[in-house]
Amino acid sequence: MEYEFHWNVVFQTMPELLNGAFVTLHVSVLAMLLGIVIAILLAIAKMNNSKPFCYVATVWVEIARNTPALFQIYMAYFGLGAFGIHLSPYVAVLSALVFINAGYLTETFRGGFQSIPSTQYSASKSLGMTSIQVYRYIILPQMLRRIYHPMTNQFVWSILMSSLGILVGMSELSGTTQRLQSLSFRTLEFFIVAAVMYFVITKLVLISSSLLSRRLFKGEV
Amino acid sequence: MIRKLATVVLACVAVGSMNASADQLDTVIQRGTLNCGVVLDFPPMGYFNEDNEPAGFDVDYCNDLAEVLGVDVNVLNLTWGDRIPSLIAGKTDVVIGSTSDTLERAKSVGFTYPYFVFKFQVIAGKDKNIQSFDDLKNLKVGAALGTTYETEYLAYAEKKGWGTDNYTAFKSENDAYLGLYQGKVDAIISTNTNIATKLQSEEFAGFEAGPFVPNYDDVVGLIAKRSETAWINYLNLFLVRQIRDGNMNEAYNKHFGSDAPADLIQSLRDNK
């Protein structure tokens, strides 16, 4: 075989790689949580009859879903920079991921909302519940259960897309990998280890969200 | 799952070992094309000219090398980070890309004799008034990811206890200059040659070249697969002949507007 693997170089820098992996996990979990909250609001806005809300939500969703993540991260960093708004690499990547997550999840949530018969809404209202109570106790719990799987897909996507943080010099797992490999040029070894780490992170996230769902939905996902 | 992963890794290994090495020199000659990797966002060593064609000192070296080999040249545009993967994947035969010849890297890839020597330098806004390298202490500093000047800056910052909070890595040389121009960072570290080129442009009128990175000459070589010793021998002779035959001076003149400095030529002749 032509290529000799030197793994010790990688293991020596393991603490830095793990640090990068933590940043990856950190930014994608935060992007997911913020994305969910915004997506619920956007989904409600999109189903709303009031024009301005619906318009804003539609524009958001259309841009988020129909342009590449690479472009959005670049715009958040250098695009805003051209107007004198300087986000740190972390905040730029976080806001781009939140933007995209919210855009995609809005459509998922809207589907979820619409799968709940509207008669439930009228029934709850006639029991004297306020709109907020209806969403909080009747509609959201059922909706979240139905869209659980598409939501975790989006989560995995968000973790993997955070690797584009390298574009704007973020020291997440990919950025750290790239920097460390340039010291020794052990590119293959570093990339293989980084890939394994991404795999482990996504698996961890999937397992913990499945545990969480069992608690929340009593196992009926 | 581990078994599946192992299979994938083994498959990669198997594919790698199939193109068992015919000598690279023979391969290039028989193929009739030299695949030459250059970093094309690093003027004046490599860049795209007005006709959007690869140009620069490194590109001239690619052309000269192809000419003596008697083959066509195919210049591939690489980022700093692509240089080694492109060699390992066999996309390039040689990378003429200002690669600093560290001993750590030489464990992974084959270096030729030095073919150029750079100084690492600071470029910053004139208002920053940077007198010495230590003035960077409280400024936001950037550099291109995976370059030796990034490593040198970080090593210096660590030695001085500056920390890395003020540091920003950029994906490419162009992005680093864009970040400087937009004011994302106060200063960036680059090479003296690139800074001199940039300062000639209107956009960087408000900027100036600052101090050099202390105690560091950036000596760079061509790189090829480590195992291809015969090919590296050929490349070494090529570099010697570039100086002896005057091609080096010609390329220098073309891209730097003056004769190559005597001390640069001497240090290349001395291989240091």
Side-chain angles (χ1 to χ4, degrees):
Chain A
M1 185 195 142
E2 215 176 338
Y3 190 81
E4 291 293 331
F5 285 90
H6 290 194
W7 294 103
N8 56 340
V9 194
V10 185
F11 293 126
Q12 279 159 13
T13 53
M14 206 35 105
E16 282 181 75
L17 280 176
L18 287 173
N19 221 346
F22 179 73
V23 177
T24 290
L25 184 64
H26 196 265
V27 76
S28 35
V29 169
L30 205 54
M32 192 63 193
L33 293 178
L34 292 172
I36 289 174
V37 174
I38 296 176
I40 290 176
L41 298 177
L42 286 179
I44 294 172
K46 233 189 151 179
M47 294 178 302
N48 203 309
N49 289 327
S50 113
K51 275 269 161 15
F53 284 123
C54 183
Y55 183 73
V56 169
T58 307
V59 169
W60 185 314
V61 170
E62 289 302 313
I63 295 177
R65 297 212 310 172
N66 298 312
T67 53
L70 181 142
F71 162 81
Q72 286 154 357
I73 290 176
Y74 211 80
M75 284 309 278
Y77 192 68
F78 288 112
L80 292 179
F83 299 101
I85 304 168
H86 295 299
L87 305 179
S88 73
Y90 184 91
V91 177
V93 172
L94 177 66
S95 36
L97 287 181
V98 168
F99 179 75
I100 306 164
N101 278 343
Y104 273 88
L105 288 172
T106 299
E107 288 298 275
T108 314
F109 286 179
R110 194 168 61 105
F113 278 128
Q114 284 172 347
S115 73
I116 313 287
S118 60
T119 45
Q120 290 196 16
Y121 185 84
S122 336
S124 317
K125 277 292 228 187
S126 68
L127 286 172
M129 292 172 114
T130 65
S131 281
I132 290 173
Q133 282 175 324
V134 180
Y135 275 109
R136 165 72 184 79
Y137 294 106
I138 309 294
I139 298 184
L140 274 182
Q142 298 186 72
M143 189 271 286
L144 286 176
R145 182 176 308 182
R146 288 189 189 176
I147 58 145
Y148 169 74
H149 285 298
M151 212 160 70
T152 48
N153 270 347
Q154 184 65 29
F155 204 160
V156 169
W157 181 95
S158 162
I159 294 168
L160 300 182
M161 280 302 145
S162 71
S163 62
L164 289 173
I166 194 177
L167 280 177
V168 294
M170 186 183 178
S171 297
E172 35 67 71
L173 184 49
S174 299
T176 310
T177 305
Q178 182 78 306
R179 185 171 58 76
L180 291 174
Q181 69 84 21
S182 75
L183 298 182
S184 62
F185 282 170
R186 285 283 147 195
T187 314
L188 271 185
E189 288 88 333
F190 273 103
F191 279 18
I192 289 171
V193 169
V196 171
M197 286 173 120
Y198 273 112
F199 188 91
V200 172
I201 293 174
T202 48
K203 270 291 160 205
L204 278 179
V205 163
L206 284 177
I207 290 169
S208 32
S209 62
S210 135
L211 288 177
L212 185 70
S213 78
R214 260 182 232 169
R215 255 188 89 88
L216 286 178
F217 310 133
K218 312 282 187 284
E220 302 158 29
V221 176
Chain B
M1 186 46 67
I2 288 173
R3 274 179 66 176
K4 268 189 202 166
L5 277 177
T7 319
V8 174
V9 172
L10 278 179
C12 299
V13 170
V15 171
S17 59
M18 273 194 301
N19 33 19
S21 52
D23 183 80
Q24 189 94 23
L25 181 55
D26 293 330
T27 311
V28 171
I29 293 169
Q30 279 157 15
R31 193 199 297 135
T33 309
L34 171 73
N35 293 321
C36 190
V38 179
V39 178
L40 289 175
D41 76 343
F42 191 54
M45 304 307 278
Y47 57 94
F48 286 100
N49 65 15
E50 311 84 64
D51 304 326
N52 210 22
E53 278 163 5
F57 186 94
D58 289 343
V59 176
D60 284 357
Y61 263 45
C62 287
N63 292 330
D64 292 346
L65 178 59
E67 193 182 327
V68 292
L69 284 165
V71 297
D72 295 332
V73 67
N74 176 25
V75 174
L76 289 107
N77 181 19
L78 305 176
T79 65
W80 297 121
D82 290 342
R83 288 174 295 175
I84 310 315
S86 80
L87 280 175
I88 290 170
K91 306 253 181 241
T92 50
D93 301 309
V94 58
V95 173
I96 306 186
S98 307
T99 310
S100 311
D101 55 359
T102 69
L103 285 168
E104 193 56 37
R105 288 170 163 185
K107 293 176 191 164
S108 307
V109 73
F111 278 92
T112 62
Y113 297 149
Y115 82 99
F116 210 86
V117 183
F118 297 96
K119 289 277 189 189
F120 295 150
Q121 197 174 15
V122 176
I123 171 171
K126 284 177 178 158
D127 54 316
K128 297 290 181 298
N129 193 27
I130 298 172
Q131 299 300 327
S132 81
F133 203 72
D134 289 322
D135 291 347
L136 292 179
K137 184 178 179 192
N138 294 312
L139 295 180
K140 283 187 282 180
V141 178
L145 182 69
T147 54
T148 314
Y149 29 105
E150 171 181 61
T151 312
E152 283 302 309
Y153 168 78
L154 289 174
Y156 193 85
E158 193 186 343
K159 201 171 76 186
K160 295 276 176 174
W162 295 350
T164 54
D165 290 348
N166 276 337
Y167 177 73
T168 307
F170 292 93
K171 178 78 179 85
S172 69
E173 196 75 11
N174 272 340
D175 280 354
Y177 278 94
L178 180 58
L180 176 70
Y181 181 71
Q182 288 190 348
K184 286 187 180 302
V185 289
D186 301 317
I188 60 171
I189 317 285
S190 182
T191 57
N192 54 341
T193 52
N194 197 3
I195 289 173
T197 312
K198 281 289 190 306
L199 286 178
Q200 286 167 6
S201 69
E202 232 169 75
E203 286 82 9
F204 287 91
F207 293 85
E208 64 183 358
F212 293 107
V213 175
N215 308 321
Y216 197 83
D217 278 335
D218 184 35
V219 181
V220 298
L222 316 187
I223 49 173
K225 266 191 199 153
R226 200 188 68 174
S227 54
E228 293 294 343
T229 40
W231 174 230
I232 293 169
N233 274 339
Y234 188 88
L235 294 173
N236 277 335
L237 183 62
F238 164 72
L239 291 179
V240 170
R241 297 290 309 224
Q242 283 295 90
I243 293 178
R244 195 194 299 164
D245 299 347
N247 290 341
M248 193 273 178
N249 197 42
E250 194 182 309
Y252 194 98
N253 238 313
K254 187 165 149 196
H255 298 288
F256 294 90
S258 69
D259 277 346
D263 58 340
L264 173 63
I265 296 281
Q266 194 55 47
S267 67
L268 293 178
R269 285 215 157 119
D270 296 345
N271 296 328
K272 66 185 187 193

